[in-house]
Amino acid sequence: MAKIKPSKGAPYARILGVGGYRPTRVVPNEVILEKIDSSDEWIRSRSGIETRHWAGPEETVAAMSLEAAGKAIADAGITAERIGAVVVSTVSHFAQTPAVATEIADKLGTDKAAAFDISAGCAGFGYGLTLAKGMVVEGSAEYVLVIGVERLSDLTDLEDRATAFLFGDGAGAVVVGPSKEPAIGPTVWGSEGDKSGTIKQTVSWDRFFPNARLSAGLDTPADLPVDTEGNIKFPAITQEGQAVFRWAVFEMAKVAQQALDAAGITADELDVFIPHQANVRIIDSMVKTLKLPEHVMVARDIRTTGNTSAASIPLAMERLLATGEAKSGDTALVIGFGAGLVYAATVVTLP
């Protein structure tokens, strides 16, 4: 019986560089209030959001990814040719195939890097980071580019009072490569599919396909959502806000603590906390539950960026490092959670 040769990867992996891209258009709450009955004070108090960025026609998922990726590669001090795999987490790239990662890998100038997309919602960056760590340690790639990118403005129902103010666009990227010491801790991740209905798309794409409608016995568009003028609405993201809030506050604090325990880190030893930027009240509640000391820098990028799903953690990380609020070598707890419901948490050393 033949024996398979063992892989020759690095002993450990680490984040070597980070980059971000925010669209040029800044959208204040006043624009959101044109379509919903609410107030700037209510939006700020309920979510913490003051402004968000919305992408223009040229700021596609691929274009934003390329901007963020280029910065991350430069920050890592390598060239694109050395990238062995490109992992893109997104729910807002509307081509079913091919994966947008293949376009990104080509335009960056990688040497035929492996490239694929994943769909894990707001936990997507954590999922991608875990895959990248495995590839580097296993030896299938020396350097892996992980991108979280969203154009959630395309999936926002501006008449939905529960979600119209939440979402923004942008891309964040990191380069993961070899390390001589542990710098990405064990990932605590999972899913709770019994709660999948709490965050979902309003209507499935096949409801717009004539053949699919006929096979389902639907000969009229009566089952499709319409706006106040009677026009059929494009599919959008909707959620049961209170249910999601309770789950995030009570269950995700437990997951965050498990990630600390798995890494052998206490709250007192943390320098930075970078949670998914979903809601500032969720962030503040997690800080309280975890009993994080005052010296821990907490990312609250949501105030001016909004909820960018898979892009939120790397965007927040990039901003903290750029402003000097966090520094290279800091120990950070990162956690993402959202549609699925899915989650992923780990402790990392900042690049």
Side-chain angles (χ1 to χ4, degrees), residues 312-350:
S312 77
I313 291 175
L315 277 174
M317 182 185 295
E318 183 262 352
R319 174 161 282 174
L320 288 176
L321 289 167
T323 60
E325 295 172 282
K327 62 183 185 298
S328 175
D330 278 352
T331 300
L333 168 64
V334 299
I335 179 170
F337 47 86
L341 294 169
V342 295
Y343 54 87
T346 188
V347 175
V348 304
T349 300
L350 294 183

Side-chain angles (χ1 to χ4, degrees), residues 188-189 251-260 335 343-345:
V188 177
W189 58 354
E251 298 302 322
M252 291 305 98
K254 298 176 186 177
V255 171
Q257 184 59 57
Q258 290 169 14
L260 288 174
I335 179 170
Y343 54 87

Side-chain angles (χ1 to χ4, degrees), residues 231-252:
N231 300 309
I232 294 175
K233 286 185 177 182
F234 196 70
I237 298 173
T238 187
Q239 69 174 18
E240 297 175 13
Q242 287 302 313
V244 173
F245 181 86
R246 288 192 297 270
W247 175 77
V249 167
F250 296 109
E251 298 302 322
M252 291 305 98

